[in-house]
């Protein structure tokens, strides 16, 4: 069984400015990081690096993030050009 590669981006909800990005083999450590590092003004997206499918969206609340994982679409719907940028890195 082969693990998928995932990518995490945390950004300011108001401006869209990215302050943190990470790549991981499998999603476990990225999901744990997203749970442990919420802020009131920032959201975190975790997506598949190969396909761009958004798997988890963590909405920061300051304490425990609100987590959404249903029909989230493609990373380029949130940030055009993001998939091409991470695939070329």
């Amino acid at each position: 069984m082969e693990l998928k590669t995932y990518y995490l981006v945390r950004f300011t909800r108001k401006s869209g400015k990215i302050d943190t990005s990470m790549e991981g083999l499998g999603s476990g450590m990225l999901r744990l990081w997203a749970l442990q590092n919420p802020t009131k003004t920032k959201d975190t997206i975790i997506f598949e690096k190969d396909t761009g499918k958004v798997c988890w969206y963590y909405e920061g609340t300051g304490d425990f993030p609100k987590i959404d994982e249903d029909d989230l679409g493609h990373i380029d719907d949130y940030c055009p050009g993001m998939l091409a940028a991470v695939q070329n890195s």
Side-chain angles (χ1 to χ4, degrees), residues 1 5-6 12 14 18 29 36 39 45 60 66 74 82 85 87:
M1 181 178 162
T5 302
Y6 291 87
T12 304
K14 195 172 190 177
I18 295 171
M29 293 303 289
Q36 293 178 335
T39 71
I45 294 177
K66 177 184 170 203
H74 194 271
M82 175 65 77
Q87 287 178 339

Side-chain angles (χ1 to χ4, degrees), residues 10-54:
R10 184 173 75 172
F11 58 94
T12 304
R13 192 176 308 123
K14 195 172 190 177
S15 70
K17 190 172 188 175
I18 295 171
D19 75 336
T20 303
S21 63
M22 296 179 218
E23 184 175 338
L25 192 57
S27 63
M29 293 303 289
L30 297 178
R31 294 177 69 192
L32 182 62
W33 188 92
L35 283 173
Q36 293 178 335
N37 295 281
T39 71
K40 289 182 180 182
T41 61
K42 296 182 182 182
D43 293 346
T44 302
I45 294 177
I46 299 175
F47 63 95
E48 293 180 7
K49 187 176 178 183
D50 292 338
T51 65
K53 177 186 172 199
V54 176

Side-chain angles (χ1 to χ4, degrees), residues 43-77:
D43 293 346
T44 302
I45 294 177
I46 299 175
F47 63 95
E48 293 180 7
K49 187 176 178 183
D50 292 338
T51 65
K53 177 186 172 199
V54 176
C55 301
W56 297 277
Y57 189 103
Y58 294 78
E59 184 178 339
T61 61
D63 186 25
F64 190 83
K66 177 184 170 203
I67 304 166
D68 194 1
E69 52 187 284
D70 296 322
D71 300 322
L72 298 173
H74 194 271
I75 189 61
D76 285 338
D77 296 337

